[in-house]
Amino acid sequence: MVVPTTASRPAPPEAAADGFEAFYRAHVDRVYRALAVTLRQDDLAHEAVDEAMARAYAKWAVVGTLDNPAGWVFRVGLNWATSWWRKKRREHPPAVEADHPVSDATPTGALLVLAELPLPQRAVITCRILLDLSTAETAEALGLSEGTVKSRLSRGLTVLRTQLSSEE
Amino acid sequence: MDQIPRDIDLAVRTAAETTQGYAGELPDVYRRARRRARRRAVAATAGAFTVLAGLVGGGLVLHNRTDATPIHQPDAPAESGQRLLLSHADGEYVAGASSPVRLGPATPVGELLPDGRLVTHPVVGDVFELPDGGLVALGPDELLTVQPSGGDRQQRAVPGAGGPVTLAGADATTAYLWRPYGLYAHDLAGGLERLVISSDMLSLPGDDPAGDLDAADLTPERLVLADARRSCRPELVSLAPPQGLRDLPLTALGCDKVTSLRLSPNTGRVGVSYQKADRSHHVAVLSTEDGTVLARRSVTGPAELAWLTERDLRVVPVPTGGLHELRQFTLPS
């Protein structure tokens, strides 16, 4: 039942794959860093961005046409990580309750202050600053209203400004 | 406040730069996408095949496929140890003087013969060899294909009944399937199934045990598996009777993730393909008696493994994406 490999030439790789590869190379590090700051756990951010990129690749015909594929990847990665974290907490409840993962590394400076923010505020701030998304784009990426994005951003920035000023 | 003050913008960007950069690689993403696609395709068709099974009295359908792909040549000889089937390849490959061959999740599966030739077989999906030189495969259509050496192809629906089903291995009479709740032995002659070991005993998720595996291999007596949550500590398990035997840790070798496992014919050794944190790829041979590392070597990509003898492991790195030449070698132990 062996079929000679010379029987037929394979079809060339789809152009879509090239488009995804270019997107991946241009954005993966930025999305990863945004997730790492938001999730406060580098290895979880790594898994999350890989999972989200795999889903983007599978749906590239659609995702590639979005205005902001990087925002889509960020949201998918964030949702995946949040689900993972909730499942882990159900299976292995922590001794001390926490509402988000805790990094092994000790954060400093702005990273420390960011770590003090609730995860939804961190997500908005990282979208706005690290992914360079506008308010409207952030709202679309995170599935929020623009008003919610603005209020979370405002509260987060207030805390950041206060804490960073006191550090100085 | 919709504008970001410049000093905060700068502080956050600087903070993000202090995190360790992304260390992944594109092939990892492609591999993950393929695993997802296989699981989703199987789950998506489960309902249709459940109905089909119901129409025949809840049983399984066994029939000869008259529209099967014609057999072009006799089977590869089976006397040269285990076969090196390239189920996880995804790219274009050349071996020896052959023309480039496209292999991927939706193409016929490839096999690298001991003499260096690359051939393909008209089956798709997860594929395992049968002792008579035939193959058993489970494609995304949830059809279990049995292609005996020189005989007629047979196909049988193995509906997942609401959960994913994944082919785990095969011997002369049995295909082993991961299903919700555990590993099942599926009788190739009659289609009856029995639970071999539960997912609970293996600490795997009940709804999709295979979904959490980085790699696994089995014989009728032994199972070795790398759970993604503790990938570098593969666990050796007895299937008859079902009980855990020992861990086979690779952590001292700098392992970050296991990509392939292959038990030797007598299960005295296990070949392991693994990746380090720096994304370099390596192969090792461990004794299943005590976990001793008997041999190891770095390779150029995630490797497929097959035992030529109880001591000699055939290895071929199979990088994904792009065009690659397949160069196999033997790792003695």
Side-chain angles (χ1 to χ4, degrees), chain A residues 1-6 9-10 17 20-21 24-25 28-29 32-33 37 46-47 49-51 53-55 57 110-111 114 128-130 132 135 150 153-154 157-158 160-161 164, chain B residues 1-2 4-5 7 11 13 15-22 24-26 29-30 32-33 36 71-76 92 98 100-102 118-122 135 147 279:
Chain A
M1 194 186 49
V2 177
V3 179
T5 57
T6 52
R9 284 298 300 268
F20 172 78
E21 182 170 345
Y24 172 89
R25 300 204 183 285
V28 68
D29 189 67
Y32 163 76
R33 288 181 191 277
V37 169
H46 188 151
E47 284 292 314
V49 77
D50 276 3
E51 179 68 23
M53 282 290 183
R55 295 185 191 191
Y57 173 62
L111 214 50
L114 277 165
R128 287 296 318 276
I129 297 178
L130 299 179
D132 294 317
T135 297
K150 287 178 183 176
L153 180 68
S154 174
L157 291 178
T158 301
L160 273 176
R161 165 142 286 176
L164 290 174
Chain B
M1 189 187 299
D2 196 29
I4 314 284
D7 56 337
R13 289 182 191 277
E17 287 300 317
T18 65
T19 64
Q20 197 173 15
Y22 176 71
E25 290 182 358
L26 187 56
V29 171
Y30 288 148
R32 188 183 282 257
R36 274 185 58 79
I71 297 170
H72 296 274
Q73 288 185 12
D75 269 308
E92 277 195 287
S98 70
V101 179
R102 176 77 186 168
L118 175 61
V119 298
T120 59
H121 302 281
L135 296 171
Q147 177 63 65
R279 303 287 157 181

Coordinates of all heavy atoms in Angstrom, one line a residue, chain A residues 1-6 9-10 17 20-21 24-25 28-29 32-33 37 46-47 49-51 53-55 57 110-111 114 128-130 132 135 150 153-154 157-158 160-161 164, chain B residues 1-2 4-5 7 11 13 15-22 24-26 29-30 32-33 36 71-76 92 98 100-102 118-122 135 147 279:
Chain A
M1 N 0.8 -1.2 0.0 CA 0.0 0.0 0.0 C 0.9 1.3 0.0 O 0.5 2.3 0.4 CB -0.9 0.0 1.2 CG -2.0 1.0 1.1 SD -2.9 1.1 2.7 CE -1.7 1.2 3.9
V2 N 2.1 1.1 -0.4 CA 3.0 2.3 -0.4 C 2.7 3.1 -1.7 O 2.8 2.5 -2.8 CB 4.4 1.9 -0.3 CG1 5.3 3.1 -0.4 CG2 4.6 1.1 0.9
V3 N 2.5 4.3 -1.6 CA 2.3 5.2 -2.7 C 3.6 5.9 -3.0 O 4.1 6.6 -2.1 CB 1.2 6.2 -2.4 CG1 1.0 7.2 -3.6 CG2 -0.1 5.5 -2.1
P4 N 4.1 5.8 -4.2 CA 5.4 6.5 -4.5 C 5.2 8.0 -4.3 O 4.2 8.6 -4.7 CB 5.6 6.2 -6.0 CG 4.8 4.9 -6.2 CD 3.6 5.0 -5.3
T5 N 6.2 8.6 -3.7 CA 6.1 10.0 -3.5 C 6.2 10.9 -4.7 O 6.0 12.1 -4.7 CB 7.1 10.4 -2.4 OG1 8.4 10.1 -3.0 CG2 6.9 9.8 -1.1
T6 N 6.7 10.3 -5.7 CA 6.9 11.0 -7.0 C 5.6 11.1 -7.8 O 5.6 11.7 -8.8 CB 8.0 10.4 -7.8 OG1 7.7 9.0 -8.0 CG2 9.3 10.5 -7.2
R9 N 3.0 16.2 -7.2 CA 3.6 17.3 -6.5 C 2.6 17.8 -5.5 O 1.4 18.0 -5.9 CB 4.1 18.4 -7.4 CG 5.4 18.0 -8.1 CD 6.6 17.8 -7.1 NE 6.8 18.9 -6.3 CZ 7.7 19.9 -6.6 NH1 8.4 19.8 -7.7 NH2 7.9 20.9 -5.8
P10 N 3.0 18.2 -4.3 CA 2.0 18.8 -3.4 C 1.6 20.2 -3.8 O 2.3 20.9 -4.6 CB 2.8 18.9 -2.1 CG 4.3 19.0 -2.5 CD 4.3 18.1 -3.8
A17 N -1.2 31.3 4.9 CA -0.2 31.0 5.9 C 0.9 32.0 6.0 O 1.4 32.4 7.0 CB 0.4 29.6 5.7
F20 N -0.3 35.0 7.9 CA -0.3 34.7 9.4 C 1.1 34.8 9.9 O 1.4 35.4 11.0 CB -0.9 33.4 9.7 CG -0.7 33.0 11.2 CD1 -1.5 33.6 12.1 CD2 0.3 32.1 11.6 CE1 -1.3 33.3 13.5 CE2 0.5 31.9 12.9 CZ -0.3 32.4 13.8
E21 N 2.1 34.2 9.2 CA 3.4 34.2 9.7 C 4.0 35.6 9.8 O 4.6 36.0 10.8 CB 4.3 33.4 8.7 CG 5.8 33.3 9.2 CD 6.6 32.4 8.4 OE1 6.0 31.5 7.7 OE2 7.8 32.4 8.5
Y24 N 2.4 37.0 12.9 CA 3.0 36.4 14.1 C 4.3 37.1 14.4 O 4.6 37.5 15.5 CB 3.2 34.9 13.8 CG 3.9 34.2 14.9 CD1 3.3 33.6 16.0 CD2 5.3 34.0 14.8 CE1 4.0 33.0 17.0 CE2 6.0 33.4 15.7 CZ 5.4 32.8 16.8 OH 6.1 32.1 17.8
R25 N 5.2 37.2 13.4 CA 6.5 37.7 13.6 C 6.5 39.2 14.0 O 7.3 39.7 14.8 CB 7.4 37.5 12.4 CG 7.6 36.1 12.0 CD 8.8 35.8 11.2 NE 8.9 34.4 10.8 CZ 9.2 33.4 11.6 NH1 9.5 33.7 12.9 NH2 9.2 32.1 11.2
V28 N 3.9 39.0 17.9 CA 3.9 38.0 19.0 C 4.6 38.5 20.3 O 4.1 38.3 21.4 CB 4.4 36.6 18.6 CG1 5.9 36.7 18.3 CG2 4.1 35.6 19.6
D29 N 5.7 39.2 20.1 CA 6.4 39.6 21.3 C 5.6 40.7 22.1 O 5.6 40.7 23.3 CB 7.8 40.1 21.0 CG 8.7 40.4 22.2 OD1 9.0 39.4 22.9 OD2 8.9 41.6 22.5
Y32 N 2.7 39.2 23.7 CA 3.2 38.4 24.9 C 3.5 39.3 26.1 O 3.1 39.0 27.2 CB 4.4 37.6 24.5 CG 5.2 37.1 25.7 CD1 4.7 36.0 26.5 CD2 6.4 37.8 26.1 CE1 5.4 35.6 27.6 CE2 7.0 37.4 27.2 CZ 6.6 36.3 28.0 OH 7.2 35.9 29.1
R33 N 4.2 40.4 25.8 CA 4.6 41.3 26.9 C 3.3 41.9 27.5 O 3.2 42.1 28.8 CB 5.5 42.4 26.4 CG 6.9 41.9 26.1 CD 7.8 43.1 25.7 NE 9.1 42.6 25.1 CZ 10.1 42.3 25.9 NH1 10.0 42.4 27.2 NH2 11.2 41.8 25.3
V37 N 2.4 41.3 31.5 CA 2.1 42.4 32.4 C 0.7 42.2 33.0 O 0.5 42.4 34.2 CB 2.3 43.8 31.7 CG1 1.7 44.9 32.6 CG2 3.7 44.0 31.4
H46 N 3.0 33.0 28.2 CA 3.6 32.3 27.1 C 2.6 31.2 26.5 O 2.3 31.2 25.3 CB 4.9 31.5 27.5 CG 5.7 30.9 26.4 ND1 7.0 30.8 26.4 CD2 5.2 30.4 25.2 CE1 7.4 30.2 25.3 NE2 6.3 30.0 24.5
E47 N 2.0 30.4 27.4 CA 1.0 29.5 27.0 C -0.2 30.2 26.4 O -0.7 29.7 25.4 CB 0.5 28.6 28.2 CG 1.5 27.6 28.6 CD 1.7 26.5 27.6 OE1 0.6 26.0 27.1 OE2 2.8 26.1 27.3
V49 N -0.4 33.1 24.9 CA -0.2 33.7 23.5 C 0.0 32.6 22.5 O -0.5 32.8 21.4 CB 1.1 34.7 23.6 CG1 2.4 33.9 23.6 CG2 1.0 35.6 22.4
D50 N 0.6 31.5 22.9 CA 0.7 30.4 21.9 C -0.7 29.8 21.6 O -1.0 29.6 20.4 CB 1.5 29.2 22.5 CG 3.0 29.5 22.3 OD1 3.4 30.5 21.7 OD2 3.8 28.6 22.7
E51 N -1.5 29.7 22.6 CA -2.9 29.2 22.3 C -3.7 30.2 21.5 O -4.4 29.8 20.5 CB -3.6 29.0 23.7 CG -5.0 28.5 23.6 CD -5.1 27.1 23.0 OE1 -4.1 26.3 23.1 OE2 -6.2 26.7 22.5
M53 N -2.5 32.4 19.4 CA -1.9 32.5 18.1 C -2.4 31.2 17.3 O -2.6 31.3 16.1 CB -0.4 32.5 18.1 CG 0.1 33.9 18.4 SD -0.2 35.1 17.0 CE 0.6 36.6 17.6
A54 N -2.4 30.1 17.9 CA -2.9 28.9 17.3 C -4.3 29.0 16.8 O -4.7 28.6 15.7 CB -2.8 27.7 18.2
R55 N -5.1 29.7 17.6 CA -6.5 29.9 17.2 C -6.6 30.9 16.1 O -7.5 30.8 15.2 CB -7.4 30.3 18.4 CG -7.4 29.3 19.5 CD -8.3 29.7 20.6 NE -8.2 28.7 21.8 CZ -9.0 28.7 22.8 NH1 -10.0 29.6 22.9 NH2 -8.9 27.9 23.8
Y57 N -4.3 31.4 13.8 CA -3.9 30.7 12.6 C -5.0 29.8 12.0 O -5.3 29.8 10.8 CB -2.7 29.8 13.0 CG -2.3 28.9 11.9 CD1 -1.8 29.4 10.7 CD2 -2.3 27.5 12.0 CE1 -1.4 28.6 9.6 CE2 -1.9 26.6 11.0 CZ -1.4 27.2 9.8 OH -1.0 26.4 8.8
A110 N 7.0 50.6 38.0 CA 5.7 50.6 37.4 C 5.0 49.2 37.4 O 3.8 49.0 37.5 CB 5.7 51.2 36.0
L111 N 5.9 48.2 37.2 CA 5.4 46.8 37.2 C 4.8 46.5 38.5 O 3.7 45.8 38.6 CB 6.6 45.9 36.9 CG 6.3 44.6 36.1 CD1 5.5 44.9 34.8 CD2 7.5 43.9 35.7
L114 N 1.5 48.4 38.7 CA 0.5 47.7 37.8 C 0.0 46.4 38.5 O -1.2 46.1 38.4 CB 1.2 47.4 36.5 CG 1.2 48.5 35.4 CD1 2.2 48.1 34.3 CD2 -0.2 48.7 34.8
R128 N -4.2 49.8 25.9 CA -4.0 51.2 25.4 C -2.6 51.5 25.2 O -2.2 52.2 24.2 CB -4.6 52.2 26.4 CG -6.2 52.2 26.5 CD -6.8 52.7 25.2 NE -6.1 53.9 24.6 CZ -6.3 55.1 25.0 NH1 -7.2 55.4 25.9 NH2 -5.6 56.1 24.4
I129 N -1.7 51.1 26.1 CA -0.3 51.5 26.0 C 0.6 50.5 25.3 O 1.2 50.9 24.3 CB 0.3 51.7 27.5 CG1 -0.5 52.9 28.2 CG2 1.8 52.0 27.4 CD1 -0.1 53.1 29.6
L130 N 0.5 49.3 25.6 CA 1.4 48.3 25.0 C 1.0 47.9 23.7 O 1.8 47.5 22.8 CB 1.6 47.1 26.0 CG 2.2 47.5 27.3 CD1 2.4 46.2 28.2 CD2 3.6 48.2 27.2
D132 N -1.0 49.8 21.8 CA -1.3 51.1 21.1 C -2.7 51.1 20.5 O -2.9 51.6 19.4 CB -0.3 51.2 19.9 CG 1.1 51.5 20.5 OD1 1.3 52.3 21.4 OD2 2.1 50.9 19.9
T135 N -9.3 53.9 22.4 CA -10.4 53.5 23.3 C -11.4 52.6 22.6 O -11.8 51.6 23.2 CB -11.1 54.8 23.9 OG1 -10.2 55.6 24.6 CG2 -12.3 54.4 24.8
K150 N -13.1 53.6 29.4 CA -12.7 54.9 29.9 C -12.7 54.9 31.4 O -11.7 55.5 32.0 CB -13.6 56.0 29.4 CG -13.4 56.3 27.9 CD -14.4 57.4 27.4 CE -14.3 57.7 26.0 NZ -15.3 58.6 25.5
L153 N -9.8 52.8 32.6 CA -8.5 53.5 32.4 C -8.3 54.6 33.3 O -7.2 54.8 33.9 CB -8.5 54.0 30.9 CG -7.3 54.7 30.5 CD1 -6.1 53.8 30.4 CD2 -7.5 55.5 29.2
S154 N -9.4 55.4 33.6 CA -9.3 56.5 34.5 C -8.9 56.1 35.9 O -7.9 56.6 36.5 CB -10.6 57.3 34.5 OG -10.5 58.3 35.5
L157 N -5.2 54.7 35.8 CA -4.2 55.8 35.7 C -4.1 56.6 37.0 O -3.0 57.1 37.3 CB -4.6 56.7 34.5 CG -4.4 56.1 33.1 CD1 -4.9 57.1 32.0 CD2 -3.0 55.6 32.9
T158 N -5.2 56.8 37.6 CA -5.2 57.6 38.9 C -4.3 56.9 39.9 O -3.4 57.5 40.6 CB -6.6 57.8 39.5 OG1 -7.4 58.4 38.5 CG2 -6.6 58.5 40.8
L160 N -2.0 54.6 39.3 CA -0.6 54.6 38.8 C 0.1 55.9 39.1 O 1.2 55.9 39.6 CB -0.6 54.3 37.3 CG -0.6 52.9 36.8 CD1 -0.7 52.8 35.3 CD2 0.6 52.2 37.2
R161 N -0.6 57.0 38.8 CA 0.0 58.3 39.0 C 0.3 58.5 40.5 O 1.4 59.0 40.8 CB -1.0 59.4 38.5 CG -0.6 60.8 38.9 CD -0.9 61.8 37.9 NE 0.2 61.7 36.8 CZ 0.2 62.5 35.7 NH1 -0.8 63.3 35.5 NH2 1.2 62.4 34.9
L164 N 3.2 56.1 41.6 CA 4.5 56.4 41.0 C 5.0 57.7 41.5 O 6.2 57.8 41.7 CB 4.4 56.4 39.4 CG 4.1 55.1 38.8 CD1 3.9 55.3 37.3 CD2 5.3 54.2 39.0
Chain B
M1 N -10.8 60.6 31.7 CA -9.4 60.6 31.3 C -9.2 59.6 30.2 O -9.2 58.4 30.4 CB -8.6 60.2 32.5 CG -7.1 60.4 32.3 SD -6.1 59.8 33.7 CE -6.6 60.7 35.0
D2 N -9.1 60.1 28.9 CA -8.9 59.2 27.8 C -7.5 59.2 27.3 O -7.1 58.4 26.5 CB -9.9 59.6 26.7 CG -10.1 58.5 25.7 OD1 -9.9 57.3 26.1 OD2 -10.4 58.8 24.5
I4 N -3.4 59.2 27.7 CA -2.4 58.6 28.6 C -1.3 59.7 28.9 O -0.6 60.1 27.9 CB -1.8 57.4 28.0 CG1 -2.9 56.5 27.4 CG2 -0.9 56.6 29.1 CD1 -3.7 55.7 28.4
P5 N -1.1 60.1 30.1 CA 0.0 61.0 30.4 C 1.3 60.4 29.9 O 1.6 59.1 30.0 CB 0.0 61.1 31.9 CG -1.4 60.8 32.3 CD -1.9 59.8 31.3
D7 N 4.4 60.5 31.0 CA 5.3 59.8 32.0 C 4.7 58.4 32.3 O 5.5 57.5 32.5 CB 5.4 60.7 33.2 CG 4.1 61.0 33.9 OD1 3.0 61.0 33.2 OD2 4.0 61.3 35.1
A11 N 6.5 54.9 31.7 CA 6.8 54.0 32.8 C 6.3 52.6 32.5 O 6.9 51.6 32.8 CB 6.2 54.5 34.1
R13 N 5.7 51.2 29.5 CA 6.4 50.6 28.4 C 7.8 50.1 28.9 O 8.2 49.0 28.6 CB 6.7 51.6 27.3 CG 5.4 51.9 26.5 CD 5.7 52.9 25.3 NE 4.5 53.4 24.7 CZ 3.8 52.7 23.8 NH1 4.2 51.6 23.4 NH2 2.7 53.2 23.3
A15 N 8.4 49.2 32.0 CA 8.2 48.1 32.8 C 8.0 46.8 32.0 O 8.5 45.7 32.3 CB 6.9 48.3 33.7
A16 N 7.2 47.0 30.9 CA 7.0 45.8 30.0 C 8.3 45.3 29.4 O 8.5 44.1 29.2 CB 6.0 46.2 28.9
E17 N 9.2 46.2 29.2 CA 10.5 45.8 28.6 C 11.3 45.0 29.6 O 12.2 44.3 29.2 CB 11.3 47.1 28.1 CG 10.7 47.7 26.8 CD 10.7 46.7 25.7 OE1 11.7 46.0 25.5 OE2 9.7 46.7 25.0
T18 N 11.0 45.2 30.9 CA 11.8 44.4 31.9 C 11.4 43.0 31.9 O 12.1 42.2 32.5 CB 11.7 45.1 33.3 OG1 10.3 45.0 33.7 CG2 12.1 46.5 33.3
T19 N 10.2 42.7 31.4 CA 9.8 41.3 31.4 C 10.6 40.5 30.4 O 11.0 41.1 29.4 CB 8.3 41.1 31.1 OG1 8.1 41.5 29.8 CG2 7.4 41.9 32.1
Q20 N 10.8 39.2 30.7 CA 11.5 38.4 29.7 C 10.8 38.3 28.4 O 9.6 38.2 28.4 CB 11.7 37.0 30.3 CG 12.8 36.2 29.6 CD 13.1 34.9 30.4 OE1 12.3 34.5 31.2 NE2 14.2 34.3 30.0
G21 N 11.4 38.5 27.3 CA 10.8 38.5 26.0 C 10.2 37.1 25.7 O 10.5 36.1 26.3
Y22 N 9.3 37.1 24.6 CA 8.7 35.9 24.2 C 9.8 34.9 23.6 O 10.6 35.3 22.8 CB 7.7 36.2 23.1 CG 7.1 35.0 22.4 CD1 6.1 34.3 23.1 CD2 7.4 34.7 21.1 CE1 5.5 33.2 22.6 CE2 6.7 33.6 20.5 CZ 5.8 32.9 21.3 OH 5.2 31.8 20.7
G24 N 9.0 31.7 22.4 CA 8.4 30.7 21.6 C 8.8 30.7 20.2 O 9.6 31.6 19.7
E25 N 8.3 29.7 19.4 CA 8.6 29.6 18.0 C 7.4 29.3 17.2 O 6.5 28.6 17.7 CB 9.7 28.6 17.7 CG 11.1 29.0 18.3 CD 12.1 28.0 17.9 OE1 11.8 26.9 17.4 OE2 13.3 28.2 18.3
L26 N 7.3 29.7 16.0 CA 6.2 29.5 15.1 C 5.8 28.1 15.0 O 4.6 27.7 15.0 CB 6.4 30.2 13.8 CG 5.2 30.2 12.8 CD1 4.1 30.9 13.4 CD2 5.6 30.9 11.5
V29 N 3.3 26.9 17.5 CA 2.0 27.4 17.3 C 1.3 26.5 16.3 O 0.1 26.2 16.4 CB 2.0 28.9 16.8 CG1 0.6 29.3 16.4 CG2 2.5 29.8 17.9
Y30 N 2.0 26.2 15.2 CA 1.4 25.3 14.2 C 1.0 23.9 14.8 O 0.0 23.4 14.5 CB 2.4 25.1 13.0 CG 2.5 26.3 12.1 CD1 3.7 26.6 11.5 CD2 1.5 27.2 12.0 CE1 3.8 27.7 10.7 CE2 1.6 28.3 11.1 CZ 2.8 28.6 10.5 OH 2.9 29.7 9.7
R32 N 0.3 23.3 17.9 CA -0.8 23.5 18.8 C -2.1 23.6 18.0 O -3.1 23.0 18.3 CB -0.6 24.7 19.6 CG -1.6 24.9 20.7 CD -1.4 26.2 21.5 NE -0.3 26.2 22.4 CZ -0.4 26.1 23.7 NH1 -1.6 26.0 24.2 NH2 0.6 26.1 24.5
A33 N -2.0 24.3 16.9 CA -3.2 24.4 16.0 C -3.6 23.1 15.4 O -4.8 22.8 15.3 CB -2.9 25.4 14.9
R36 N -5.4 21.1 18.1 CA -6.8 21.6 18.3 C -7.7 21.2 17.2 O -8.8 20.8 17.4 CB -6.7 23.2 18.4 CG -6.4 23.7 19.7 CD -6.5 25.2 19.7 NE -7.8 25.7 19.2 CZ -8.9 25.7 20.0 NH1 -8.8 25.3 21.2 NH2 -10.1 26.1 19.5
I71 N -4.9 0.6 -4.0 CA -3.6 0.2 -3.5 C -2.6 0.2 -4.7 O -2.9 -0.4 -5.7 CB -3.7 -1.2 -2.9 CG1 -4.6 -1.1 -1.7 CG2 -2.3 -1.7 -2.5 CD1 -4.9 -2.5 -1.1
H72 N -1.5 0.9 -4.5 CA -0.6 1.0 -5.6 C 0.6 0.1 -5.6 O 1.0 -0.4 -6.6 CB -0.1 2.5 -5.6 CG -1.1 3.5 -5.9 ND1 -1.5 3.9 -7.1 CD2 -1.9 4.2 -5.0 CE1 -2.5 4.8 -7.0 NE2 -2.7 5.0 -5.7
Q73 N 1.0 -0.2 -4.4 CA 2.2 -1.1 -4.3 C 2.0 -2.0 -3.0 O 1.2 -1.6 -2.2 CB 3.5 -0.3 -4.1 CG 3.9 0.4 -5.4 CD 5.2 1.1 -5.2 OE1 5.9 0.9 -4.3 NE2 5.6 1.9 -6.2
P74 N 2.7 -3.0 -2.9 CA 2.7 -3.8 -1.7 C 3.1 -3.0 -0.5 O 3.8 -2.0 -0.6 CB 3.6 -5.0 -2.0 CG 3.8 -5.0 -3.4 CD 3.7 -3.6 -3.9
D75 N 2.7 -3.5 0.6 CA 3.1 -2.8 1.9 C 4.6 -2.8 2.1 O 5.3 -3.7 1.5 CB 2.5 -3.5 3.1 CG 1.2 -2.9 3.4 OD1 1.1 -1.6 3.5 OD2 0.2 -3.6 3.5
A76 N 5.0 -1.9 2.9 CA 6.5 -1.9 3.3 C 6.7 -3.1 4.1 O 5.9 -3.5 4.9 CB 6.8 -0.6 4.1
E92 N 7.1 20.5 3.8 CA 7.5 19.8 2.6 C 8.8 19.1 3.0 O 9.7 19.7 3.6 CB 7.8 20.8 1.5 CG 6.5 21.1 0.7 CD 6.9 21.8 -0.6 OE1 7.3 23.0 -0.6 OE2 6.7 21.2 -1.7
S98 N 14.2 11.5 -3.6 CA 12.7 11.7 -3.9 C 12.4 13.2 -4.1 O 13.2 14.1 -3.7 CB 11.9 11.2 -2.7 OG 12.0 12.1 -1.6
P100 N 10.1 16.6 -3.4 CA 9.5 17.1 -2.2 C 8.1 16.6 -2.0 O 7.4 16.5 -3.0 CB 9.5 18.6 -2.4 CG 10.6 18.9 -3.4 CD 10.6 17.7 -4.3
V101 N 7.8 16.2 -0.8 CA 6.5 15.7 -0.5 C 5.8 16.6 0.5 O 6.5 16.9 1.5 CB 6.6 14.3 0.1 CG1 5.2 13.7 0.4 CG2 7.3 13.3 -0.9
R102 N 4.6 17.0 0.3 CA 3.9 17.8 1.3 C 3.2 16.8 2.3 O 2.4 15.9 1.9 CB 2.8 18.6 0.5 CG 1.9 19.4 1.5 CD 2.6 20.6 2.0 NE 1.8 21.3 3.0 CZ 2.3 22.3 3.7 NH1 3.6 22.7 3.6 NH2 1.5 22.9 4.6
L118 N 11.3 8.0 1.4 CA 10.1 8.6 2.0 C 8.9 8.2 1.1 O 8.8 8.4 -0.1 CB 10.2 10.1 2.0 CG 9.0 10.9 2.5 CD1 8.6 10.5 3.9 CD2 9.2 12.4 2.4
V119 N 7.9 7.5 1.8 CA 6.7 7.1 1.0 C 5.5 7.6 1.8 O 5.6 8.0 2.9 CB 6.6 5.5 0.9 CG1 7.8 5.0 0.2 CG2 6.6 4.9 2.3
T120 N 4.4 7.6 1.1 CA 3.1 8.0 1.7 C 2.1 6.9 1.7 O 2.1 6.0 0.8 CB 2.5 9.3 1.1 OG1 2.3 9.0 -0.3 CG2 3.5 10.4 1.2
H121 N 1.2 6.9 2.6 CA 0.1 5.9 2.6 C -1.2 6.7 2.6 O -1.4 7.7 3.2 CB 0.1 5.1 3.9 CG 1.5 4.4 4.1 ND1 1.8 3.3 3.5 CD2 2.5 4.8 4.9 CE1 3.0 2.9 3.8 NE2 3.5 3.8 4.7
P122 N -2.2 6.1 1.9 CA -3.5 6.8 1.7 C -4.4 6.8 2.9 O -5.5 6.4 2.8 CB -4.1 6.1 0.5 CG -3.6 4.7 0.6 CD -2.2 4.9 1.1
L135 N -1.7 -1.0 8.6 CA -1.9 0.2 9.4 C -3.3 0.4 9.9 O -4.2 -0.2 9.4 CB -1.6 1.4 8.5 CG -0.2 1.6 7.9 CD1 -0.2 2.7 6.8 CD2 0.8 1.9 8.9
Q147 N -6.1 -1.1 7.5 CA -5.6 -1.5 6.2 C -4.6 -2.7 6.5 O -3.4 -2.5 6.7 CB -4.9 -0.4 5.6 CG -4.2 -0.7 4.2 CD -5.2 -1.1 3.2 OE1 -6.1 -0.4 2.8 NE2 -5.2 -2.4 2.8
R279 N 14.7 26.1 23.4 CA 14.0 25.7 22.2 C 14.9 24.7 21.4 O 14.5 24.4 20.2 CB 13.6 26.8 21.3 CG 12.7 27.8 22.0 CD 11.3 27.2 22.2 NE 10.6 27.9 23.3 CZ 9.4 27.6 23.7 NH1 8.7 26.6 23.1 NH2 8.8 28.2 24.7

